[in-house]
């Protein structure tokens, strides 16, 4: 133990002398290292995970993806009388990037009107989360989820009787 | 002042001694320490002040990918890395003679593990090269209708053991060459090339607690199996694999094989016990968990579990302080899930939900318990975030839903 302590002391002193800015901490196992900390943050500190009442007229539900593809996102929006999105929830079956993309999508749609929410692009989501090229499809699916939720909401506003809500 | 600053840095760097807060196990054999390697000193916005719990390296539960060096192997190798550095093919001086003696001793150690004659062992750079040599034999066959059967002994993804002895018997009766890639099996399950009628076998060093960069191919002499060399040169290794044999590496491989032979029974008992512990605890606490692979013909150290309604890579991200692997598409460069899982008929969504737990000689009970605890916690958490789990809880049959294709 003394030898180990002495080794650490030696390393610390040499780090100091070499003027490294701080003792670098190795990031943990490989998948985490490939993720930007923003992606990990969406899993560790989740916001907007959950469900809204999908039978409500003010709630639009978008369900996109397929289990066979390894990516399923459910995104729900609650819209008030003026057409502004006041609440959003998501649930995702997918990798860390998919979870983060859908989580970010719910954060961004809140406070926007239905028209403004349509302008959210997958490229913006990917840029914000620093997604690598192999994960860009996750941001595309999140954009699809937003559009599907908005489309479902619009469908519900149309005065059609017995319109089955989009599952 | 220098000393005081240095001491402060040391105090910040040293992980908090195991107390009530830190539940992560530390192993006696390999200390988990902060890595001070200079290449990671990239000033990026991801580097924050080191927190106490993120200071340790992850637990290693990925022995199918590679194994740590057994200390006994390192002990055997060290003299050949430092002092006895002669080329084993040098015939004219003591340096060469002592290296050659070490090489032949290692050859004997590898041979005795699989019941072969030392003259039937050729050293290579690894099981991949051995596989290539064995397959190339097909082109070098004397009779045009000679064929080759090549089967993996123990699968690296799901741990299934193939019925090698039966396959060997069939091949031998049909006069067909039989090659097996035993990288995951050598030193872990009993193998005998004569009992199992194996003609060619690939061996990998770093899968059995030996060094990386070395392996061997077993090539039967009676009846003679002819192979064609992949690389030509000075004619070393009976002309089948030219190139100077790396003495320290082969000494390591030999030592690893000898240690494996001694420890095989004990390792098997230990690993089986830990594997049982892991699967029982997980299956007891979580519903909808499927073990992939035949439960009877199975090597216990490779456990592949599918956690329904949770995607594999998200679970790996969540289990960030355990080193694991997954059969999920996201972790491979392509978006295809594991071909092995597909081949055994696993549903595609379960193929995306699989994690491989590797238990080896140095895995401790504490590590297994910690991994199990974290796994259960995060699977529950991810299921709360999963729309599929929600639908199943509501009684919806997932197979009845028309998913959007993309």
């Amino acid at each position: 133990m003394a030898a180990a302590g002495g080794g650490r002391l030696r390393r610390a002193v040499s780090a100091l002398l070499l003027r490294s800015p701080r003792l670098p901490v190795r990031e943990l196992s490989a998948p985490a290292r490939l993720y930007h900390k923003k992606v990990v943050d969406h899993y560790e500190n989740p916001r907007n995970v959950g469900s809204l009442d999908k039978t409500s007229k003010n709630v639009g539900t978008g369900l996109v993806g397929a289990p066979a593809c390894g990516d399923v996102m459910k995104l729900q929006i609650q819209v008030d009388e003026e057409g502004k999105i006041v609440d959003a929830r998501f649930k995702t079956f997918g990798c860390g990037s998919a979870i983060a993309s859908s989580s970010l999508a719910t954060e961004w749609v809140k406070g926007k009107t239905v028209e403004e929410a349509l302008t959210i692009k997958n490229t913006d989501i990917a840029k914000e989360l620093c997604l690598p090229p192999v994960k860009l499809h996750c941001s595309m699916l999140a954009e699809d989820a937003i559009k599907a939720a908005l489309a479902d909401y619009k469908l519900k506003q149309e005065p059609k009787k017995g319109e089955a809500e989009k599952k | 002042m220098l000393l005081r600053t240095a001491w402060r840095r040391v105090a910040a760097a040293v992980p908090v001694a195991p107390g009530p807060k830190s539940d992560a196990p530390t192993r006696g054999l390999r200390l988990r320490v902060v890595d001070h390697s200079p290449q990671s000193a990239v000033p990026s916005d991801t580097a924050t002040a080191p927190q106490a719990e993120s200071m340790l390296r992850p637990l290693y539960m990925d022995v199918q990918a590679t194994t740590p060096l057994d200390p006994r192997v390192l002990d055997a190798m060290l003299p050949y890395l430092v002092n006895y550095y002669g080329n084993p093919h040098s015939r004219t001086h003591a340096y060469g003679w002592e290296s050659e003696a070490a090489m032949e001793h290692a050859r004997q150690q590898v041979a005795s593990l699989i019941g072969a004659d030392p003259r039937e062992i050729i050293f290579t750079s690894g099981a991949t090269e051995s596989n290539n040599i064995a397959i190339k034999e097909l082109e070098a066959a004397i009779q045009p209708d000679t064929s080759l059967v090549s089967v993996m002994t123990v699968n690296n993804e799901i741990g299934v053991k193939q019925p090698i002895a039966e396959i060997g018997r069939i091949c031998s009766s049909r006069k067909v060459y039989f090659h097996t890639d035993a990288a995951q099996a050598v030193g872990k399950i009993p193998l005998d090339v004569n009992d199992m009628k194996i003609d060619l076998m690939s061996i990998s060093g770093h899968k059995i607690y030996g060094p990386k960069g070395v392996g061997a191919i077993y090539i039967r002499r009676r009846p003679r199996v002819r192979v064609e060399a992949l690389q030509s040169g000075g004619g070393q290794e009976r002309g089948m694999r030219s190139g100077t044999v790396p003495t320290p590496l082969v000494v390591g491989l030999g030592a690893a094989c000898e240690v494996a032979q001694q420890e095989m029974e004990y390792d098997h008992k230990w690993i089986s016990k830990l594997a049982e512990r892991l699967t029982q605890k997980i299956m007891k606490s979580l519903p909808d968990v499927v073990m992939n692979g035949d439960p009877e013909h199975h090597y216990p150290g490779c456990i592949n579990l599918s956690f329904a309604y949770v995607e594999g890579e998200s679970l790996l991200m969540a289990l960030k302080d355990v080193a694991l692997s997954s059969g999920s598409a996201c972790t491979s460069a392509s978006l295809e899930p594991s071909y092995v899982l597909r081949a055994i008929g696993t549903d595609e969504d379960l193929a995306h939900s699989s994690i491989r737990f590797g238990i080896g000689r140095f895995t401790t009970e504490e590590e297994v318990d910690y991994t199990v605890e974290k796994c259960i916690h995060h699977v529950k958490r991810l299921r709360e975030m999963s729309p599929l789990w929600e639908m199943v809880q509501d009684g919806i049959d997932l197979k009845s839903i028309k998913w959007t294709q993309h």
Side-chain angles (χ1 to χ4, degrees):
Chain A
M1 192 56 213
R8 282 197 205 104
L9 179 60
R10 246 198 322 275
R11 277 195 292 274
V13 168
S14 63
L16 179 71
L17 292 174
L18 292 170
R19 286 179 185 37
S20 53
R22 53 178 70 103
L23 294 177
V25 175
R26 179 197 282 280
E27 285 183 35
L28 300 170
S29 64
R33 194 194 336 197
L34 293 174
Y35 286 120
H36 199 272
K37 66 172 181 179
K38 287 182 186 170
V39 171
V40 180
D41 183 49
H42 278 277
Y43 170 71
E44 307 217 306
N45 303 302
R47 28 243 190 228
N48 306 327
V49 175
S51 296
L52 300 167
D53 177 14
K54 70 173 188 256
T55 54
S56 157
K57 192 162 183 267
N58 295 331
V59 170
T61 303
L63 183 67
V64 294
C69 299
D71 262 316
V72 177
M73 289 183 191
K74 185 183 84 161
L75 196 141
Q76 292 179 299
I77 48 169
Q78 181 148 13
V79 189
D80 66 8
E81 267 54 28
E82 283 114 52
K84 200 165 86 142
I85 299 171
V86 293
D87 202 6
R89 293 266 185 272
F90 82 98
K91 282 205 176 186
T92 295
F93 164 82
C95 64
S97 298
I99 293 174
S101 298
S102 43
S103 173
L104 189 67
T106 56
E107 286 192 330
W108 278 1
V109 296
K110 274 192 190 174
K112 289 195 161 64
T113 64
V114 172
E115 279 68 37
E116 285 169 353
L118 274 172
T119 64
I120 295 177
K121 286 259 151 301
N122 67 295
T123 41
D124 300 327
I125 297 176
K127 198 158 142 205
E128 172 65 22
L129 296 172
C130 305
L131 296 182
V134 68
K135 294 291 182 191
L136 286 179
H137 68 282
C138 297
S139 62
M140 282 188 249
L141 197 63
E143 187 190 320
D144 288 348
I146 296 175
K147 295 200 158 48
L150 292 166
D152 181 56
Y153 169 74
K154 286 218 174 81
L155 208 61
K156 281 184 174 176
Q157 304 314 303
E158 281 167 30
K160 273 199 185 114
K161 265 226 287 215
E163 175 69 43
E165 55 204 9
K166 200 164 124 188
K167 267 200 179 295
Chain B
M1 200 202 99
L2 194 71
L3 210 55
R4 202 168 52 229
T5 335
W7 185 252
R8 240 182 276 132
R9 278 189 181 250
V10 167
V14 169
V16 176
K21 260 197 199 153
S22 143
D23 59 345
T26 56
R27 54 153 91 250
L29 194 59
R30 300 195 193 297
L31 294 175
R32 294 168 67 208
V33 294
V34 176
D35 174 52
H36 298 298
S37 56
Q39 74 259 18
S40 51
V42 175
S44 67
D45 58 1
T46 56
T48 50
Q51 299 137 16
E53 62 267 308
S54 64
M55 301 269 285
L56 301 176
R57 290 180 62 206
L59 300 180
Y60 194 69
M61 300 284 290
D62 200 16
V63 286
Q64 280 70 36
T66 192
T67 52
L69 263 190
D70 190 302
R72 294 164 281 194
V73 170
L74 183 61
D75 282 349
M77 288 171 71
L78 219 40
Y80 297 93
L81 288 164
V82 178
N83 280 325
Y84 307 126
Y85 46 78
N87 185 321
H89 313 294
S90 297
R91 292 225 170 286
T92 57
H93 48 72
Y95 289 92
W97 305 331
E98 72 201 356
S99 273
E100 192 194 5
M103 177 178 77
E104 293 309 319
H105 179 63
R107 206 185 296 275
Q108 171 62 56
Q109 289 168 316
V110 175
S112 82
L113 181 61
I114 58 173
D117 186 287
R119 292 169 293 181
E120 298 171 313
I121 301 289
I122 305 293
F123 289 118
T124 61
S125 63
T128 302
E129 187 187 337
S130 303
N131 287 339
N132 274 276
I133 294 175
I135 305 291
K136 201 153 188 269
E137 182 276 337
L138 180 67
E139 287 152 19
I142 302 165
Q143 283 107 32
D145 57 349
T146 309
S147 57
L148 172 76
V149 166
S150 177
V151 170
M152 213 183 215
T153 320
V154 169
N155 185 276
N156 58 325
E157 287 200 42
I158 56 180
V160 161
K161 294 196 296 204
Q162 300 296 344
I164 295 296
E166 281 85 67
I167 299 173
R169 206 186 43 233
I170 295 171
C171 288
S172 146
S173 63
R174 305 273 180 91
K175 303 262 186 284
V176 164
Y177 290 121
F178 177 35
H179 164 255
T180 182
D181 181 346
Q184 298 282 353
V186 165
K188 296 180 181 144
I189 58 172
L191 290 173
D192 189 296
V193 293
N194 293 313
D195 292 345
M196 297 171 170
K197 302 200 181 357
I198 296 170
D199 296 313
L200 295 148
M201 182 196 281
S202 301
I203 297 165
S204 173
H206 73 113
K207 301 286 163 62
I208 56 172
Y209 311 96
K212 294 172 181 57
V214 71
I217 179 169
Y218 159 76
I219 304 171
R220 177 172 286 281
R221 289 181 80 237
R222 294 219 173 94
R224 184 171 291 276
V225 175
R226 293 201 187 284
V227 296
E228 189 173 304
L230 270 186
Q231 52 191 60
S232 53
Q236 287 82 8
E237 294 295 277
R238 302 166 190 279
M240 297 201 223
R241 200 270 182 178
S242 294
T244 304
V245 171
T247 313
L249 293 178
V250 304
V251 165
L253 176 61
C257 288
E258 187 168 303
V259 168
Q261 198 163 9
Q262 290 161 359
E263 304 278 353
M264 201 187 304
E265 201 189 317
Y266 180 84
D267 279 353
H268 198 270
K269 281 204 199 115
W270 178 246
I271 290 169
S272 300
K273 180 177 137 182
L274 288 185
E276 185 69 21
R277 194 184 175 98
L278 187 142
T279 31
Q280 283 311 309
K281 280 192 165 187
I282 289 182
M283 300 276 200
K284 213 168 50 176
S285 315
L286 289 172
D288 300 308
V289 178
V290 174
M291 181 156 122
N292 297 308
D294 187 317
E296 264 186 58
H297 301 105
H298 182 256
Y299 171 65
C302 176
I303 302 164
N304 192 303
L305 297 175
S306 278
F307 299 94
Y309 322 118
V310 169
E311 203 270 343
E313 206 200 8
S314 61
L315 187 53
L316 289 184
M317 178 184 72
L319 292 172
K320 59 185 178 182
D321 44 1
V322 183
L324 290 165
S325 179
S326 127
S328 151
C330 286
T331 51
S332 64
S334 80
L335 297 179
E336 294 292 312
S338 152
Y339 74 97
V340 173
L341 292 180
R342 184 185 296 149
I344 61 172
T346 308
D347 279 342
E348 289 222 330
D349 55 336
L350 280 183
H352 282 282
S353 310
S354 73
I355 301 277
R356 176 185 71 186
F357 298 89
I359 297 180
R361 181 183 294 160
F362 301 118
T363 313
T364 65
E365 258 180 31
E366 272 185 304
E367 290 178 329
V368 167
D369 289 343
Y370 182 82
T371 304
V372 163
E373 194 193 304
K374 291 285 164 181
C375 183
I376 292 171
H377 169 76
H378 286 290
V379 167
K380 284 187 175 153
R381 201 144 163 237
L382 283 164
R383 279 181 171 165
E384 290 301 308
M385 293 172 84
S386 168
L388 303 180
W389 177 250
E390 188 185 44
M391 288 189 222
V392 165
Q393 301 300 103
D394 290 341
I396 300 172
D397 175 17
L398 293 180
K399 300 222 191 293
S400 67
I401 299 194
K402 274 187 114 166
W403 302 100
T404 62
Q405 301 300 316
H406 72 114

